Amino acid sequence: MDHRLSKTTLFLHWMIAINVIGLLIVGLIMHENKIYSLYPIHKSVGMLILPLALFRVYWRIKEKWPAPIHQLSQKWIRLSHISHISLLSLTLLMPITGMLMSIFSGRGLSLFSVPLIMAQQNSEGEFIELSKTWAEITHQMHFLFSDMLLFILSAHITAALIHHFFLKDNVLRRIFRI
Ligand code: HEM
Ligand code: HEM
């Protein structure tokens, strides 16, 4: 059995993967080193992930899970579905918490300098929070989900390499092949 993945699945996988990996790296670097000039780029690219990730969930429901390449035990199939569902969920939760934290902290939302929700500032130029509590909660959630994403993604990439180098099957090959 060697079912090919659809072109839409491949396109969505790599469009989201490249951008999410980039956002994780930029997010960690900009936060750690306080590089504020990177924040608007991180936010705009991050917001663009949301419609792609929503479409991907719709596509996965419509198309159903890709058929496994070879006979796997139910335990492994279930584990791979749980990890893929976690990755799909986190690619939705990251942009949602990011956008909410910006809105609740009064910073508004802009897409590449086009304002979507105006920032709220006082006469001294400080941001006026919509809700201090929710700004803090969504901030913590963005950070917690990014740690979870890093962890599950490491396992995901390790699993792909194990398939390729130890199980010597076509799992890694078919995510690259059109
Ligand atoms: C170097 C990076 C990556 C590699 C090598 C990789 C590799 C793979 C492989 C081999 C599969 C299995 C396809 C099959 O069932 O045959 C897969 C599926 C999947 N990957 Fe990745 N992946 C990477 C990055 C990512 C990232 C960053 C995400 C999301 C944040 C992600 C989410 C998924 C999901 C949800 C699936 C299930 C199929 C689908 O719904 O598209 N992957 N990946
Ligand atoms: C898939 C999308 C996204 C990913 C993977 C992502 C990832 C990250 C990561 C890894 C960090 C650093 C966390 C840490 O240092 O522990 C971060 C910080 C941040 N993200 Fe995102 N992000 C995404 C989307 C967004 C969006 C849409 C917004 C806002 C509209 C946003 C706003 C921010 C802000 C403001 C920070 C810095 C917070 C601070 O310095 O205190 N992110 N992000």
Side-chain angles (χ1 to χ4, degrees), residues 68 70-83:
H70 51 72
Q71 219 52 50
L72 285 173
S73 71
Q74 278 304 314
K75 188 182 85 181
W76 287 110
I77 293 179
R78 206 170 309 130
L79 193 67
S80 96
H81 286 173
I82 291 171
S83 71

Side-chain angles (χ1 to χ4, degrees), residues 5 9 13-14 17 20-21 56 60 65-66 84 87-88 91 149 153 156-157 160 171-172 174-175:
L5 297 173
T9 292
H13 182 271
W14 288 114
V20 164
I21 292 170
R56 189 183 196 186
R60 190 47 57 238
W65 290 110
H84 290 164
L87 288 170
L88 292 173
T91 40
L149 185 53
L153 194 54
H156 181 66
I157 296 173
V171 168
L172 184 59
R174 80 167 175 175
I175 201 78

Side-chain angles (χ1 to χ4, degrees), residues 19-32 34 36 39 42-50 90-102 107-110 139 142-144 146-147 149-150:
N19 283 295
V20 164
I21 292 170
L23 284 161
L24 284 169
I25 296 169
V26 169
L28 290 168
I29 293 174
M30 73 182 198
H31 172 67
E32 199 57 35
K34 301 194 178 2
Y36 297 114
Y39 279 46
H42 176 87
K43 290 177 168 191
S44 299
V45 176
M47 281 162 64
L48 291 178
I49 292 294
L50 187 56
L90 286 166
T91 40
L92 289 173
L93 290 168
M94 286 308 295
I96 292 172
T97 50
M99 288 159 73
L100 288 177
M101 109 169 113
S102 273
R107 287 174 168 78
L109 277 182
S110 297
H139 192 179
H142 196 67
F143 280 34
L144 172 70
S146 74
D147 285 345
L149 185 53
L150 277 170

